[in-house]
Amino acid sequence: DARVTQTPRHKVTEMGQEVTMRCQPILGHNTVFWYRQTMMQGLELLAYFRNRAPLDDSGMPKDRFSAEMPDATLATLKIQPSEPRDSAVYFCASGLRGFNEQFFGPGTRLTVL
Amino acid sequence: GQNIDQPTEMTATEGAIVQINCTYQTSGFNGLFWYQQHAGEAPTFLSYNVLDGLEEKGRFSSFLSRSKGYSYLLLKELQMKDSASYLCAVRQNSPGNTPLVFGKGTRLSVIA
C-alpha cells in the first residue's frame, strides 16, 4: 500500500556533524512537508514544497538547515553543523493540493550528542 | 500570534465516552484537524471540520465552533487501543493542502 517512507529511522551523531534525512512521498503527491516534533514544542513546520518548489521555509534555522527536492520522489533535509538542540523526531508528510489529508512518514529520530 | 490549547493528559475507562477539548487563537482559519498518534509512531488523520457543527465518523466525532475558537473530539465505546496522543491542528491559510499548526497534544490513557 502507498506510504511515505523516511530514512534513516534513527540517527545518533555528534555535535558538529552533518545529518541528512530523506523522504520518499507517496507517488503522485505534489505537496511535501517537513515537521519537527519535540516534547517541549510539539509538532512544528520546518518547510514545505509544492511541485518541488519551496513555498515556506520560515520555520527552519537558515544558517544550518536546508531542504530540497531533487526530484518528485525524493525530499531531503540537511543539518550542518548539527547541535544537541536539534535532537527531535523529524517527520515528512505528503499530500495532494486540493485535498485535506496529510500522510505522515514514520519519522527520523535524531539524537545529537 | 497563534495559540492552540488542549489538556496535556486525560484518563478514561474502557467502554466509556471521553471528550478532548481544543481552543485556538490563530491569525487565520481554514479548517481544524484532529490526528491520532500512538507512542513512537506517526500521526494519522482522524477528522476535519471547516464549518460549525458535528462531524461523525464511527466511534469518533468532532465538533467545531468558529465563533468561540473551540473544537472537541468525542470518542465513544473506548477501547484499550485508543490509548494515544490526540493532536488538534489548525490550517491558517488557503484551502487545499497547506501547513498545519499543531497543539502539543493530549495523551489519553484508557484503563480497564
Side-chain angles (χ1 to χ4, degrees):
Chain A
D1 60 329
R3 297 185 187 191
V4 176
T5 58
Q6 289 185 246
T7 56
R9 294 291 310 277
H10 301 272
K11 176 74 176 179
V12 180
T13 191
E14 293 188 345
M15 183 173 63
Q17 296 298 304
E18 177 178 305
V19 175
T20 298
M21 292 170 267
R22 292 177 174 81
C23 166
Q24 183 170 15
I26 293 172
L27 190 63
H29 282 188
N30 63 352
T31 308
V32 174
F33 306 86
W34 283 105
Y35 291 95
R36 175 171 63 182
Q37 188 173 39
T38 61
M39 291 291 291
M40 291 298 294
Q41 302 298 328
L43 260 174
E44 300 175 295
L45 178 76
L46 294 174
Y48 93 105
F49 295 77
R50 178 155 294 137
N51 298 321
R52 295 176 56 202
L55 293 188
D56 184 354
D57 61 0
S58 58
M60 282 198 323
K62 303 288 192 308
D63 56 337
R64 299 185 300 109
F65 284 59
S66 62
E68 294 180 345
M69 281 201 73
D71 63 59
T73 64
L74 176 65
T76 62
L77 180 67
K78 289 187 183 178
I79 308 174
Q80 169 62 20
S82 57
E83 298 181 1
R85 60 180 167 153
D86 301 329
S87 297
V89 182
Y90 291 80
F91 287 104
C92 173
S94 74
L96 274 171
R97 183 179 184 180
F99 291 81
N100 293 315
E101 189 170 350
Q102 295 178 17
F103 296 82
F104 281 75
T108 294
R109 182 175 295 275
L110 174 66
T111 302
V112 184
L113 302 173
Chain B
Q2 53 203 27
N3 197 37
I4 299 176
D5 285 321
Q6 45 182 136
T8 305
E9 291 187 46
M10 297 182 73
T11 300
T13 306
E14 192 176 15
I17 299 173
V18 71
Q19 178 174 311
I20 302 174
N21 296 324
C22 171
T23 57
Y24 62 90
Q25 290 176 303
T26 54
S27 54
F29 181 83
N30 215 303
L32 188 134
F33 296 75
W34 285 94
Y35 276 77
Q36 180 189 59
Q37 185 177 24
H38 285 99
E41 296 185 9
T44 55
F45 172 80
L46 284 179
S47 70
Y48 165 71
N49 296 68
V50 68
L51 299 176
D52 291 352
L54 189 69
E55 294 281 341
E56 296 185 78
K57 194 189 288 188
R59 294 188 299 113
F60 293 6
S61 304
S62 56
F63 171 84
L64 175 66
S65 168
R66 288 171 296 170
S67 62
K68 294 181 178 163
Y70 168 69
S71 172
Y72 67 73
L73 180 69
L74 194 70
L75 292 76
K76 301 176 188 174
E77 300 169 16
L78 278 172
Q79 302 175 9
M80 301 299 282
K81 67 178 181 179
D82 297 329
S83 293
S85 285
Y86 292 86
L87 309 175
C88 174
V90 170
R91 183 171 59 204
Q92 292 184 273
N93 298 321
S94 54
N97 228 314
T98 52
L100 302 179
V101 178
F102 284 87
K104 292 196 174 127
T106 297
R107 188 162 60 239
L108 174 66
S109 298
V110 180
I111 58 175

